[in-house]
Amino acid sequence: MLRLEDVHTYYGNIHAIKGLSLRVDQGEIVTLIGSNGAGKSTTLMTISGIIRPRTGKIFFQEEEITGALTDRIVKLGITQVPEGRMIFPRLTVYENLLMGAYLRKDRKGIKMDEEHAFELFPILKERRKQAGGTLSGGEQQMLAIARALMARPRLLLLDEPSLGLAPIVVENIFEVISQINSGGTTILLVEQNAQMALQVAHKGYVLETGRIIMQGPSRELMENPKIQSAYLGID
Amino acid sequence: MFEQQLINGLTLGMIYALIAVGYTMVYGVIQLINFAHGEIFMLSAFLAVTFITVFGLPIYVVIFMTMGCCALIGVMLDIFAYRPLRQSPRLAALITAIGMSIFLQNLAMIIWGSRPRPFVQEALPAFLRTPALSFGEATVSWLQLTIFGTASLLMIILFLIINKTRVGTAMRALSQNRTGAALMGINVNRVISFTFALGSSMGAVAGIMVAIYYNTLYPTMGYVAGVKAFAAAVLGGIGSVPGAMIGGIILGIAEALGAGYISSLYRDGIAYAVMIAVIIFRPSGILGKSTVEKV
């Protein structure tokens, strides 16, 4: 479904992604784990078209999207829940959701997905008239996910959904991620919390300083002693 | 005299408010003080006079045509002058804005000459100069009433566009988190163009109003009006549209009262005094948002 071939991305002169290749197949949850500064967020921003790769190719459903504008990428079916959530603090929860459906014209479908979002996160329904910035961190994360779902993505990119959240909220978020996936949405999940990520994912890639150093089914990665000591805190 | 000055000030204030929303909206979406905004206001006055004298069109048609032309000029200004500098340091765009302001002023001088000229009074209905209402010794002319009514109507329309439409919501979203907005599939450049068009067409109406009200137009008229409207936007809190409206009205009244009670020579100085006071005592302005962010 999504394929990156030897992608190199730079921030000015900093070589952030050094020849990254990965693939995400329809229906999967794929996780990209790695420590701070490994290039995980840069990878997602490159896929979303916020940053252009210097070389390499990106394909989505066999169509090349390298260097395409973000609005076209969203239209094709890739939506991102960015790190730090990036909700609109002075728009209401409801307006935030509507912005997720910005490119859609089908009013009925939007209305349906609204209901669906409120079913998935009932707290958002209670807070629908509140400004997004007044929500707690966990609620903002829910809003960010709900907002992204309003675009009806085929592929959902999630960047550190557990960042800064209480463990109980994290569990809740990961449950929702599994639920979204069983509804038919393919997911590419970036996480520092490797434990949680590998538990829900089918497949994983390990990123270190801009390069993939290991990949495979989640179960195998979890049993790999190197991963255990470096990312899972098991000696 | 107080009532009369209050009425004059309110009329003036509504005009400042119309210009100020253009500054504040553009600042909201790209954090740029568009110093050339005053020149769009000036060009509007000249375009209107040209449309009337050259094509002999009625004033109602001319207003809409001028709004359209100024919206287009605003969009062009962004595309050719500011868009190439979007990733550059903010100072580069700011200097470009000042440059565009000087360029447009001189362009107007080349086309229309630098001497002030009167507005084409024949194109206006005669009743505009007659009194509409009077309170004691104070009178409100039909012209003042028309300015007040038109400006209020435009402000309501603007408020509805910003708060109730999809593109207006996108404008607000963009001003709150640009990357977040882009990730929703909002075409950032298109929304920025829309913002310029909206602000410029409001400024266009203000330009025609001022030219009629003072019965004069000249290529540097955008400078003074622009600085005052900018002061109004700062007073209200730069980036806040209701703030710009309130700031404009307060500034207009302050100016009229100052001119009436202190000296009309200080008229222009009052805007600067207000701006300095705001920067010293309340830099975020009346409705300015504090910059606290939740992480």
Side-chain angles (χ1 to χ4, degrees), chain B residues 258-279:
Chain B
Y261 287 99
I262 305 169
S263 159
S264 59
L265 289 174
Y266 288 121
R267 165 162 235 138
D268 294 343
I270 287 164
Y272 296 101
V274 167
M275 187 152 69
I276 292 166
V278 171
I279 291 168

Side-chain angles (χ1 to χ4, degrees), chain B residues 197-294:
Chain B
L198 203 58
S200 301
S201 53
M202 296 288 149
V205 178
I208 301 173
M209 283 175 174
V210 164
I212 295 176
Y213 193 55
Y214 290 123
N215 193 25
T216 180
L217 49 154
Y218 47 96
T220 52
M221 69 188 273
Y223 177 73
V224 179
V227 167
K228 287 182 186 171
F230 173 55
V234 172
L235 171 62
I238 191 86
S240 157
V241 174
M245 295 177 182
I246 294 169
I249 292 166
I250 292 178
L251 199 70
I253 292 173
E255 188 181 316
L257 291 180
Y261 287 99
I262 305 169
S263 159
S264 59
L265 289 174
Y266 288 121
R267 165 162 235 138
D268 294 343
I270 287 164
Y272 296 101
V274 167
M275 187 152 69
I276 292 166
V278 171
I279 291 168
I280 293 172
F281 298 110
R282 197 177 152 80
S284 58
I286 299 170
L287 296 183
K289 51 211 176 238
S290 52
T291 44
V292 181
E293 258 170 51
K294 211 172 194 174

Side-chain angles (χ1 to χ4, degrees), chain B residues 1-162:
Chain B
M1 181 167 90
F2 178 76
E3 290 86 349
Q4 189 63 57
Q5 292 303 348
L6 200 63
I7 291 162
N8 296 348
L10 202 57
T11 313
L12 201 58
M14 291 302 274
I15 296 175
Y16 289 157
L18 271 186
I19 314 171
V21 290
Y23 278 106
T24 225
M25 284 194 298
V26 165
Y27 185 84
V29 294
I30 54 173
Q31 286 75 51
L32 167 75
I33 306 294
N34 175 19
F35 280 112
H37 187 55
E39 272 54 53
I40 294 202
F41 156 94
M42 173 273 296
L43 285 175
S44 149
F46 277 98
L47 285 173
V49 167
T50 307
F51 288 147
I52 293 170
T53 51
V54 177
F55 303 109
L57 296 167
I59 184 80
Y60 317 100
V61 180
V62 166
I63 290 175
F64 285 108
M65 276 178 69
T66 311
M67 282 174 85
C69 289
C70 287
L72 195 68
I73 296 170
V75 172
M76 291 298 170
L77 183 67
D78 174 50
I79 292 178
F80 293 113
Y82 306 144
R83 193 178 290 179
L85 297 171
R86 212 79 94 201
Q87 311 301 329
S88 319
R90 266 202 248 171
L91 192 58
L94 195 69
I95 293 167
T96 307
I98 296 171
M100 286 313 293
S101 159
I102 298 170
F103 168 74
L104 291 174
Q105 242 176 57
N106 284 278
L107 187 71
M109 280 187 208
I110 293 169
I111 301 175
W112 291 290
S114 57
R115 233 176 301 157
R117 56 167 85 188
F119 194 81
V120 239
Q121 292 296 332
E122 309 86 83
L124 304 172
F127 73 89
L128 281 181
R129 294 285 173 192
T130 60
L133 305 162
S134 55
F135 314 93
E137 289 181 8
T139 59
V140 184
S141 70
W142 277 106
L143 179 60
Q144 287 179 314
L145 209 60
T146 311
I147 290 176
F148 190 83
T150 313
S152 309
L153 182 70
L154 285 174
M155 237 88 78
I156 291 167
I157 294 173
L158 185 68
F159 180 84
L160 292 176
I161 291 177
I162 293 174

